[in-house]
Amino acid sequence: MERFRRRRRRDAPDPTALVAEHLEAGRPTGWFEPLYARADGDAGAIPWAHQTAHPYVVDWLDDPVVEVPGRRAVVVGCGLGDDAAELARRGFSVVAFDVSPTAVDWARRRFRRADVDWRVADLLDLPDDLVGAFDLVVEVRTVQSLPGVVRDAAMHAIGTLTGPGGVVVAVTLVAGSNEVAKAWQGPPWAQAPSELAAYRAAGLERVALEHPDPDERGVMEVRLTLQRPPAGGTEGGLPGGGLPGGGLPIIPTG
Ligand SMILES: C[S@@+](CC[C@H](N)C(=O)[O-])C[C@H]1O[C@@H](n2cnc3c(N)ncnc32)[C@H](O)[C@@H]1O
């Protein structure tokens, strides 16, 4: 259960003031670049930097819930690059992008030997060549780092990265109830359980969802596997044809 708890590093500077300044100015993603830049190469100053691939991603790759139809992978909001490097190590052809040029440069320097196409790009304004181009999309805690006004658009954009049959593996903070989500002060912002339906609206079918019980704050880290139906329908793609609906609780892990 401990691996579900990857909270903000206690030693990292509190980004609240920086975030507030950018949100007030109408720049929901504007705070990432200054946060990375002011860290000046010290990963300890990045609240989410654990400098390892996310354990869910590793578990998923060790035992994929659904077979990935090919080897083209993209990492959304790649940060310091650990998930992208892990995918490349396993033989995927990887594009990894982040809105922060400093993060992308930092990741590239950390993983000089990794065969990754590192890019500065905005999920909310995707370059055309990324749309529909991937068999596997990995999104770890990017959506939860965005305020509510852009989260639906972010989830929709994640969906557009997949080609037919493409799979999305997502890790995100979810509130145990809509009330907790409403009262929650981000970042990260705990998503309301009902929000995950945005993936369905983007044409993705939910294949699996795992989460622990909500913690003492009423939130939990959710791991989600989704798939765009293969061309010609879901036959042969989703196990059991996927799971219906966009609501939440399915598989509490023990
Ligand atoms: C909470 S961090 C997670 C980073 C990384 N996935 C990890 O787990 O360590 C969110 C990341 O998403 C990036 N990001 C936020 N909004 C983005 C956007 N619209 N397009 C691309 N990257 C974005 C941020 O710069 C940041 O690196």
Side-chain angles (χ1 to χ4, degrees), residues 1 4-8 56 144 151 172-193 195 210-223 248 253:
M1 188 62 67
F4 281 91
R5 295 171 174 261
R6 291 184 24 134
R7 294 186 184 172
R8 185 163 81 76
Y56 288 159
Q144 70 177 48
R151 278 202 298 270
T172 194
L173 190 69
V174 175
S177 68
N178 290 333
E179 289 67 42
V180 170
K182 235 178 255 171
W184 188 264
Q185 301 287 321
W189 285 275
Q191 296 195 252
E195 271 184 51
E210 281 183 66
H211 61 85
D213 291 330
D215 66 14
E216 68 283 0
R217 303 168 301 164
V219 297
M220 56 208 168
E221 190 167 75
V222 166
R223 174 190 178 180
L248 186 65
T253 53

Side-chain angles (χ1 to χ4, degrees), residues 140-171:
V140 178
R141 299 176 301 169
T142 301
V143 173
Q144 70 177 48
S145 73
L146 297 169
V149 283
V150 292
R151 278 202 298 270
D152 267 15
M155 287 185 274
H156 186 269
I158 287 166
T160 67
L161 290 164
T162 54
V167 175
V168 174
V169 172
V171 176

Side-chain angles (χ1 to χ4, degrees), residues 29 32 36 48 77 79 97-99 121-123 140-142 145-146:
T29 64
F32 292 104
Y36 280 111
W48 47 81
F97 72 88
D98 200 285
V99 75
D122 186 350
L123 176 64
V140 178
R141 299 176 301 169
T142 301
S145 73
L146 297 169

Side-chain angles (χ1 to χ4, degrees), residues 3-227:
R3 64 202 176 85
F4 281 91
R5 295 171 174 261
R6 291 184 24 134
R7 294 186 184 172
R8 185 163 81 76
R9 296 173 58 127
R10 287 182 199 284
D11 50 341
D14 187 345
T16 306
L18 182 65
V19 176
E21 177 195 327
H22 285 273
L23 294 192
E24 275 160 30
R27 296 188 297 265
T29 64
W31 56 278
F32 292 104
E33 173 56 20
L35 186 140
Y36 280 111
R38 81 181 182 186
D40 196 23
D42 172 14
I46 305 297
W48 47 81
H50 294 270
Q51 299 187 81
T52 55
H54 195 286
Y56 288 159
V57 174
V58 174
D59 285 357
W60 197 95
L61 290 166
D62 284 344
D63 185 13
V65 172
V66 57
E67 203 177 319
V68 183
R71 307 298 285 172
R72 299 165 306 167
V74 63
V75 179
V76 172
C78 63
L80 299 191
D82 297 90
D83 295 316
E86 180 65 18
L87 287 163
R89 194 179 69 77
R90 289 171 185 252
F92 283 87
S93 166
V94 184
V95 174
F97 72 88
D98 200 285
V99 75
S100 160
T102 298
V104 171
D105 188 50
W106 193 338
R108 189 184 283 119
R109 282 188 282 112
R110 284 187 71 217
F111 298 104
R112 278 181 208 284
R113 290 165 182 242
D115 190 9
V116 174
D117 178 3
W118 303 103
R119 299 226 206 150
V120 177
D122 186 350
L123 176 64
L124 301 172
D125 186 16
L126 283 173
D128 290 346
D129 68 315
L130 300 189
V131 174
F134 298 98
D135 304 303
L136 177 62
V137 179
V138 171
E139 145 23 29
V140 178
R141 299 176 301 169
T142 301
V143 173
Q144 70 177 48
S145 73
L146 297 169
V149 283
V150 292
R151 278 202 298 270
D152 267 15
M155 287 185 274
H156 186 269
I158 287 166
T160 67
L161 290 164
T162 54
V167 175
V168 174
V169 172
V171 176
T172 194
L173 190 69
V174 175
S177 68
N178 290 333
E179 289 67 42
V180 170
K182 235 178 255 171
W184 188 264
Q185 301 287 321
W189 285 275
Q191 296 195 252
S194 55
E195 271 184 51
L196 299 181
Y199 283 122
R200 190 170 182 78
L204 299 173
E205 299 281 346
R206 195 167 71 196
V207 179
L209 183 149
E210 281 183 66
H211 61 85
D213 291 330
D215 66 14
E216 68 283 0
R217 303 168 301 164
V219 297
M220 56 208 168
E221 190 167 75
V222 166
R223 174 190 178 180
L224 193 55
T225 300
L226 307 127
Q227 189 177 28

